[in-house]
């Protein structure tokens, strides 16, 4: 018993414990499937007004670089193995699907029960058979959780009031498990944060050098993942159209997002994530996946170099941009529910396994499984579990139904000098900014690219491509563009088809390309915007320019008669 007491005291100090408890609390977070509807969340939502005791856990190892796999040592066992009550009889022997109450990594499984976290080995992977044991929790935290999500060596827990807590070292001996409430700048040492109340679902994703080693970019090049990992909480919001993420290393705000499928018009009802890969599904069973994180998408130019120029044959390549787009997966050939799951396997971001709860043709319950990179319907294989279905059955009709239930996008129209367009003389030379006009026909801050239409006369235009990339910030701001100027980056691309017909372009069009783009296929620009205007300036060029585009009323171009 002395050993157990010593381990308990050590675990308590690691967790900045304020008096542990394992008693069953009044709050219960038993999963109850909700009716299927356009705004129906399938997870329990937080309530910012929930009355809970203050629980500040500033000490903890989360965020400390972890460059090596150190889970090769034998397990000593849970610090409170002999001090907790036995698990409920209905706990599963094996967890197959990662949800907000059941989750796993390659070593352990975790269950959330009545506000507390339990764990056991992931028997299907490790072969170790053991009993469920309750994770030791600080007194102020025990019994107050409504959601968990594990990936890699970290588990995120959400409290009833939305506060975020992290459990670190969940690939190591349970003796090293430790809690923290730290979140945000500087370098994951912030005073904590919370998730918003309007999500349909949420999920935690981690990619690390110790587990994944490298990213694989769109050019097929490997790039070493930093020792600090890349960790996000993803949230599906705005009726299923917004895919926002918060990051413990960044400013505590809601300003970072990834454009959803179909340029933000897709209405997802659920999401899941692992190893910088997202999966989402709509009410008709259309499934999309995407590799995405802050570093891979080009946002972290403080620590990484990026390039839009082709890096496939470069000796020391930069991370290739643009990054990955959404991929529509083959439909599951059978009945499925809304419960989707994805988990990473192996290194270099190359293996991600999807699982969808459902039934086979014989009516057996279980899940459909395939790897993300396998793009045939035949790749879906059914695994029977005999477990009762927990999700809501979807209308998984055959064929592409992704457009059956779509929303509006946030595309906007911006223009410069359009009122002068009728006066532009195609016979004159193009020498200054006054000699041409331009439009951003479908600018959407989160959904790059946009068409940059250059008018060199009233009857002549050429379409360039404007890529938009967010930048790293350490101070909070609102999402999108508002009255607070937002800095970001861009790149103007001359499409291959336009380059191929360069000799057929008019003298004024060729003059524009030479004057502003030096004839190059890609031109980096710096951008700054508010809700009604966006300014572009060149990045690292001697022949500078400054173009300001104004948002047009009702999204329509206005030209002088």
């Amino acid at each position: 018993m002395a050993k157990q007491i010593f381990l308990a005291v050590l675990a308590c100090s690691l967790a900045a414990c304020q008096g542990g408890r394992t008693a069953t609390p009044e709050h219960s977070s038993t999963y109850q499937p909700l009716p299927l509807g356009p705004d129906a969340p399938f997870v329990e939502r937080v309530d910012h007004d929930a009355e809970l005791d203050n629980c500040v856990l500033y000490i903890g190892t989360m965020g400390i670089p972890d460059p090596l796999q150190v889970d090769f040592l034998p397990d000593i066992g849970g610090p409170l193995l002999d001090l907790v009550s036995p698990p409920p009889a209905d706990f599963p022997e094996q967890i197959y699907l990662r949800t907000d109450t059941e989750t796993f990594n390659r070593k352990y499984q975790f269950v959330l029960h009545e506000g507390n976290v339990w764990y056991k080995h992931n028997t299907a992977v490790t072969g170790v058979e053991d009993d469920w044991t309750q994770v030791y929790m600080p007194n102020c935290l025990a019994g107050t959780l409504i959601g968990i999500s594990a990936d890699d060596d970290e588990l995120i827990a959400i409290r009833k009031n939305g506060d975020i807590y992290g459990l670190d070292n969940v690939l190591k001996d349970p003796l090293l498990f430790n809690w923290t409430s730290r979140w945000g700048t500087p370098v994951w040492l912030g005073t904590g944060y919370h998730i918003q109340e309007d999500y349909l679902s949420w999920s935690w994703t981690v990619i690390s050098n110790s587990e994944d080693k490298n990213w694989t970019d769109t050019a097929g090049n490997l790039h070493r993942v930093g020792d600090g990992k890349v960790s996000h909480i993803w949230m599906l919001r705005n009726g299923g159209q917004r895919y926002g993420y918060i990051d413990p290393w960044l400013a505590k705000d809601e300003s970072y997002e990834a454009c959803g499928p179909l340029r933000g018009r897709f209405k997802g009802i659920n999401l899941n994530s692992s190893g910088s890969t997202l999966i989402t599904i709509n009410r008709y069973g259309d499934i999309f996946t995407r590799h995405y994180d802050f570093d891979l998408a080009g946002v972290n130019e403080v620590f990484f170099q990026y390039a839009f120029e082709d890096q496939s044959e470069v000796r020391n390549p930069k991370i290739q941009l643009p990054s990955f787009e959404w991929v529509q997966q083959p439909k599951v050939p059978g009945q499925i529910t809304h419960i989707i799951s994805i988990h990473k396997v192996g290194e270099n971001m190359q293996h991600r396994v999807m699982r969808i709860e459902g039934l086979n043709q014989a009516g057996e319950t279980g899940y459909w499984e395939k790897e993300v990179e396998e793009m045939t319907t035949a790749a879906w294989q059914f695994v029977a579990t005999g477990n009762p279905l927990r999700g809501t059955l979807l209308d998984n009709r055959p064929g592409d139904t992704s457009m059956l239930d779509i929303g509006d996008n946030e595309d906007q129209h911006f223009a410069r000098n359009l009122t002068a367009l009728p006066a532009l003389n195609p016979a004159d030379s193009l020498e200054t900014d006054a000699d041409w006009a331009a439009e951003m026909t479908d600018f959407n801050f989160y959904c790059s690219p946009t068409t940059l239409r250059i008018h060199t006369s009233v009857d002549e235009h050429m379409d360039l491509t404007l890529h938009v990339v967010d930048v790293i910030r350490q101070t909070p701001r609102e999402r999108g563009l508002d009255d607070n100027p937002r800095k970001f980056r861009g790149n103007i691309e001359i499409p291959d088809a336009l380059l191929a017909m360069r000799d057929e372009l008019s003298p004024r069009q060729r003059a524009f390309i030479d004057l502003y783009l030096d004839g190059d296929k890609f031109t980096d620009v710096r951008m700054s915007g508010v809700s009604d205007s966006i300014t572009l300036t060149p990045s690292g060029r001697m022949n500078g320019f400054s173009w300001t585009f104004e948002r047009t009323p009702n999204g329509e171009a206005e030209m002088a008669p």
Side-chain angles (χ1 to χ4, degrees):
M1 180 61 69
K3 175 184 177 183
Q4 279 77 16
I5 294 175
F6 169 75
L7 292 175
V9 172
L10 178 58
C12 188
S13 65
L14 284 172
C17 185
Q18 298 175 9
R21 74 178 181 197
T22 58
T24 300
E26 294 181 1
H27 173 74
S28 174
S29 60
T30 303
Y31 181 91
Q32 294 293 333
L34 299 176
L36 180 61
D39 300 315
F42 293 104
V43 298
E44 185 172 355
R45 279 180 171 168
V46 303
D47 178 5
H48 289 172
D49 295 325
E51 295 184 3
L52 297 173
D53 293 338
N54 191 35
C55 192
V56 178
L57 308 175
Y58 197 73
I59 298 174
T61 59
M62 218 152 181
I64 296 175
D66 194 10
L68 299 174
Q69 289 185 349
V70 294
D71 64 326
F72 53 84
L73 298 174
D75 289 345
I76 299 174
L80 296 183
L81 194 59
D82 297 333
L83 302 182
V84 299
S85 58
D90 60 351
F91 269 22
E93 284 299 315
Q94 182 69 44
I95 294 173
Y96 302 102
L97 299 161
R98 302 172 71 243
T99 69
D100 69 313
T101 58
E102 298 180 354
T103 187
F104 60 83
N105 59 20
R106 65 171 175 81
K107 188 168 186 178
Y108 296 112
Q109 309 174 73
F110 302 89
V111 167
L112 180 64
H113 177 72
E114 295 184 336
N116 295 308
V117 182
W118 296 69
Y119 75 95
K120 64 174 290 188
H121 277 87
N122 189 343
T123 307
V125 178
T126 65
V128 178
E129 296 184 1
D130 55 358
D131 294 326
W132 286 101
T133 302
Q134 191 169 324
V135 174
Y136 196 76
M137 299 175 68
N139 180 65
C140 58
L141 188 61
T144 68
L145 304 180
I146 66 166
I148 58 173
S149 180
D151 200 24
D152 204 282
D153 200 29
E154 300 167 354
L155 178 146
I156 288 294
I158 304 298
R159 215 174 180 208
K160 177 63 177 177
N161 64 358
D163 288 348
I164 301 167
Y165 291 83
L167 181 66
D168 198 21
N169 293 332
V170 296
L171 280 175
K172 304 179 181 66
D173 189 283
L175 175 63
L176 300 177
F177 290 1
N178 65 96
W179 292 96
T180 187
S181 60
R182 288 184 289 102
W183 187 282
T185 60
V187 294
W188 209 331
L189 295 176
T191 56
Y193 196 44
H194 56 268
I195 67 172
Q196 300 303 316
E197 296 176 307
D198 62 346
Y199 57 86
L200 296 185
S201 61
W202 68 276
S203 180
W204 177 243
T205 173
V206 181
I207 192 168
S208 69
N209 180 260
S210 59
E211 288 290 299
D212 303 89
K213 306 305 181 188
N214 306 289
W215 292 285
T216 300
D217 68 11
T218 51
N221 295 316
L222 299 180
H223 301 273
R224 184 182 186 275
V225 178
D227 291 339
K229 311 176 185 177
V230 184
S231 309
H232 301 329
I233 293 178
W234 284 97
M235 290 169 288
L236 182 61
R237 304 175 65 186
N238 191 38
Q241 289 186 242
R242 280 171 47 193
Y243 295 75
Y245 65 95
I246 53 178
D247 183 306
W249 296 88
L250 301 176
K252 295 183 285 187
D253 65 19
E254 312 298 318
S255 65
Y256 288 104
E257 294 182 15
C259 181
L262 306 181
R263 200 171 170 84
R265 302 186 69 189
F266 183 81
K267 286 186 178 180
I269 59 170
N270 200 7
L271 69 72
N272 201 250
S273 62
S274 176
S276 295
T277 305
L278 285 163
I279 181 173
T280 189
I281 191 170
N282 70 359
R283 63 173 61 214
Y284 298 111
D286 297 283
I287 301 167
F288 286 81
T289 57
R290 186 179 189 183
H291 301 304
Y292 190 102
D293 67 39
F294 179 86
D295 291 359
L296 186 63
V299 188
N300 191 3
E301 62 176 344
V302 174
F303 292 100
F304 297 97
Q305 293 183 312
Y306 304 94
F308 283 88
E309 293 83 4
D310 185 8
Q311 300 295 294
S312 58
E313 301 295 332
V314 176
R315 182 173 182 180
N316 295 305
K318 301 175 182 179
I319 297 179
Q320 182 72 67
L321 296 180
S323 193
F324 294 90
E325 298 294 335
W326 288 97
V327 174
Q328 187 168 8
Q329 295 289 335
K331 275 203 161 182
V332 175
Q335 287 185 283
I336 57 173
T337 78
H338 79 279
I339 295 181
I340 56 176
S341 176
I342 192 168
H343 63 274
K344 63 182 184 180
V345 178
E347 301 174 356
N348 301 332
M349 208 179 71
Q350 294 182 346
H351 297 285
R352 301 291 184 261
V353 178
M354 303 181 293
R355 290 176 178 174
I356 320 293
E357 185 188 55
L359 303 93
N360 63 8
Q361 286 75 10
E364 296 177 298
T365 59
Y367 59 88
W368 294 87
E369 177 181 273
K370 82 172 188 70
E371 287 211 13
V372 166
E373 302 302 323
E374 297 176 325
M375 294 304 295
T376 64
T377 301
W380 285 107
Q381 299 296 310
F382 186 80
V383 179
T385 65
N387 296 334
L389 294 182
R390 298 178 62 199
T392 299
L393 286 169
L394 303 182
D395 179 9
N396 185 34
R397 62 186 69 176
D400 181 3
T401 51
S402 60
M403 298 289 290
L404 285 184
D405 182 27
I406 58 174
D408 295 331
N409 59 32
E410 295 184 297
D411 291 357
Q412 293 181 315
H413 185 273
F414 287 78
R416 68 164 300 278
N417 205 32
L418 278 187
T419 56
L421 182 56
L424 297 181
N425 188 346
D428 295 339
S429 59
L430 189 150
E431 298 177 352
T432 71
D433 292 351
D435 296 333
W436 55 278
E439 304 171 76
M440 298 181 192
T441 63
D442 52 358
F443 180 84
N444 185 327
F445 183 82
Y446 294 108
C447 295
S448 178
T450 184
T451 298
L452 178 60
R453 179 162 293 165
I454 305 299
H455 297 271
T456 48
S457 75
V458 70
D459 298 319
E460 180 181 85
H461 73 266
M462 57 182 175
D463 286 347
L464 308 179
T465 301
L466 175 62
H467 301 277
V468 175
V469 181
D470 209 346
V471 297
I472 191 169
R473 286 183 301 281
Q474 296 291 286
T475 55
R477 65 156 295 123
E478 297 298 319
R479 74 176 297 267
L481 300 182
D482 55 14
D483 292 337
N484 178 23
R486 182 169 189 158
K487 294 182 179 179
F488 47 107
R489 295 187 294 120
N491 184 281
I492 300 173
E493 177 185 359
I494 304 175
D496 289 335
L498 197 62
L499 280 175
M501 59 178 292
R502 175 185 171 85
D503 292 342
E504 302 174 27
L505 298 178
S506 73
R508 287 171 62 82
Q509 290 174 322
R510 292 197 300 271
F512 179 93
I513 291 173
D514 292 337
L515 178 63
Y516 295 108
L517 309 179
D518 285 345
D520 296 332
K521 178 176 175 61
F522 295 102
T523 301
D524 288 328
V525 292
R526 293 287 171 179
M527 303 179 70
S528 177
V530 292
S531 56
D532 291 330
S533 67
I534 298 172
T535 299
L536 281 70
T537 56
S539 176
R541 288 167 52 91
M542 296 298 292
N543 53 334
F545 57 79
S546 180
W547 306 336
T548 297
F549 290 73
E550 304 291 339
R551 185 163 62 90
T552 58
N554 302 318
E556 296 179 356
E558 291 188 346
M559 291 182 282

